[in-house]
Amino acid sequence: MPLNLEDKRAIVASVNAVATEALSAVVADYRGLTVSQMTELRSKARETGVYLKVVRNTLAKFAVKDTDYECLNDVLVGPTVLAFSQDDPGAAARLIKDFAKDNDALEVKALAVGGIAYGPQDIDVLAKLPTRDEALSQLMSVMQAPVAKFVRTLNEVPGKFVRTVAAVKDQKQSAA
């Protein structure tokens, strides 16, 4: 059933709203995936906070106009699925990369971050970005390291004193 003008405007508006707020985007060719595989991909996308949408290319070009993802217009050819990361910049890339491991029919066309388009070979770079919680954990461990080292150094002074007193005691006991 063909879409009327109002439906098309609604689709463009919803995708544009998501693209405006998104942290990164991945465009993939889904040709060859079964309905059940696409359903599985959509459910995984919902679980990971990724907006996944199959949109006609002309509508997608209108939707990404005046956003950071306008650079993807050249790859919007053929059957494409758009994946936008909402909370974590690497979420869409991880989702598509992991799903493509098991499903060869899903091929990455391009990805974009910050208004710059990258080729499909760069998906590993984006997919390996730490999540927000992982990044905070790494930051906290780096910030905590000097304090922990200082505490261990301060603790070494009384420990060394105790070991010295014990050595003197052992020496006097063996001499007696």
Side-chain angles (χ1 to χ4, degrees):
M1 180 174 165
L3 297 171
N4 63 30
L5 186 59
E6 288 304 314
D7 293 339
K8 291 177 183 178
R9 285 184 180 155
I11 290 170
V12 168
S14 69
V15 173
N16 182 274
V18 170
T20 304
E21 300 293 322
L23 301 172
S24 68
V26 177
V27 178
D29 184 347
Y30 67 93
R31 194 179 347 207
L33 290 180
T34 64
V35 173
S36 62
Q37 290 170 327
M38 279 301 288
T39 304
E40 180 185 350
L41 179 62
R42 285 186 174 109
S43 71
K44 286 182 180 181
R46 276 190 296 277
E47 292 170 7
T48 58
V50 174
Y51 178 84
L52 192 74
K53 188 80 171 170
V54 175
V55 184
R56 289 183 183 169
N57 294 324
T58 53
L59 297 180
K61 288 177 183 180
F62 283 122
V64 297
K65 188 172 182 163
D66 298 328
T67 67
D68 286 347
Y69 308 107
E70 194 168 5
C71 58
L72 294 173
N73 280 342
D74 296 338
V75 296
L76 293 174
V77 178
T80 56
V81 61
L82 296 172
F84 291 102
S85 295
Q86 302 293 322
D87 303 322
D88 172 23
R94 273 191 297 279
L95 171 74
I96 298 295
K97 181 183 174 209
D98 291 343
F99 196 79
K101 283 180 188 175
D102 299 330
N103 303 287
D104 294 334
L106 186 66
E107 294 180 22
V108 177
K109 289 184 176 183
L111 51 125
V113 179
I116 301 171
Y118 298 96
Q121 70 278 4
D122 296 324
I123 194 160
D124 287 333
V125 175
L126 188 59
K128 289 181 182 176
L129 282 177
T131 63
R132 183 177 189 277
D133 292 338
E134 290 171 346
L136 286 174
S137 173
Q138 291 172 356
L139 177 64
M140 289 297 112
S141 67
V142 168
M143 291 175 66
Q144 183 185 12
V147 175
K149 174 113 172 134
F150 179 68
V151 169
R152 281 194 300 273
T153 303
L154 285 178
N155 191 36
E156 188 60 30
V157 173
K160 190 173 185 180
F161 176 72
V162 168
R163 285 191 300 274
T164 305
V165 169
V168 169
K169 176 186 156 210
D170 291 343
Q171 185 181 23
K172 287 190 177 188
Q173 282 180 350
S174 65

